[in-house]
Amino acid sequence: MALAATACASNAPQDTLKPKGPESRYIDHLFFPVFWIAVVVFFFVASAVLYCAVRFRARPGNENPRQVHGNTKLEVTWTIIPFLLLVGVGTASVIGIFHLYKDPPGQRISFVPASASATGEPAMVGKVLEVHVIGHRWWWEFDYPGLGTMQDQFLSPGEQPGTALVTAGELHIPVGYMVRLDVTSNEPAKSPEGVGPGVIHNFWVPSLAGKIYAIPGHITHLNLEADSKLITDGHPITYSGQCSEFCGLSHANMRFKVVAESPADFAAWVANQQTVQSPMTTADALTSPLAYAGYTLFNGSGGCSTCHTIQGTSAQGQVGPNLTHLQARGVFAGAVLALNNNNLRIWLRDPQAVKPGANMRIRKLSEREITELIAYLDTLK
Ligand code: CUA
């Protein structure tokens, strides 16, 4: 009883049994018939065993039971019924796998700039949002081909280099639109440990879709769509995701969020992501000295810019997450921490304490330096 009760959680954001989109619902509709058939089979077999055990138990004065040898009718029956069940479940599963994997029809989503649109506002056209999902140790990168001015990790057919919107930790999607994910792992062919190829990750957002492997040097696909029910402008719903393939020390810290928002909110998010940050100047040193000091530290020799990009400034590092528009995110550090100044301080004091094994190995920063860096990071809206 106590064991069964452990399955009851009122707040379970990664519950596969509460689908919130057509793909996860499809999987759910496959799961439930199979589950109930299994329940019927279980009770039938268990009661038959119990009945026989009681009915034919040894009693005082029993002689040896009648010896039987095979029963063709029974054996054929208990072979054919499971065979038919397995063929049924197998067929439905294979059809489902192809259904969920196929490239969705419809034009890829793009934006007509305000200057060329009839309404004078940037207009979203197309039916399918394409996103490149890249698993890193240990965080997720999301590149939206054609929606920005940054470098994509890999190019879709026909895509120009330097035309992607690049972000990390939070996947924004417009509700009611099909999302086509092209998934890979950025791991090298040879792992840093030199023991073989880099690790495989697995992209999983239980409320919206099944799982898909992120494999180095290989691109896999996953379709997902979030229900538009209950979502209005300014009120997105956030779903939790998780790497679900053991990939090393901080595997459990390799999380992400999916922000399902109204198409208008999504368009606004894209528009904000497309603005570039300005490099700070000596004039800023007078008006916001703390932020300027942080900017100098960030871009100084051996500074954060070695690994991080902030589009529009000289920071062009490609090792860690792209930090342009950091403040537009709700989470950071592999979505382990909510984004606020307190958590940024905890992170900058000792990243290894938050995410053991992370590639962010930095010298000990003084509290003053951390305050300056946070003041700069606060400007990345
Ligand atoms: Cu990546 Cu587990």
Side-chain angles (χ1 to χ4, degrees), residues 136-138 140 199-202 243-248 250-252 254:
H136 295 256
R137 263 191 251 187
W138 286 278
W140 291 97
V199 299
I200 291 172
H201 303 282
N202 195 304
C243 176
S244 67
E245 180 75 10
F246 181 66
C247 54
S250 270
H251 156 67
M254 189 170 169

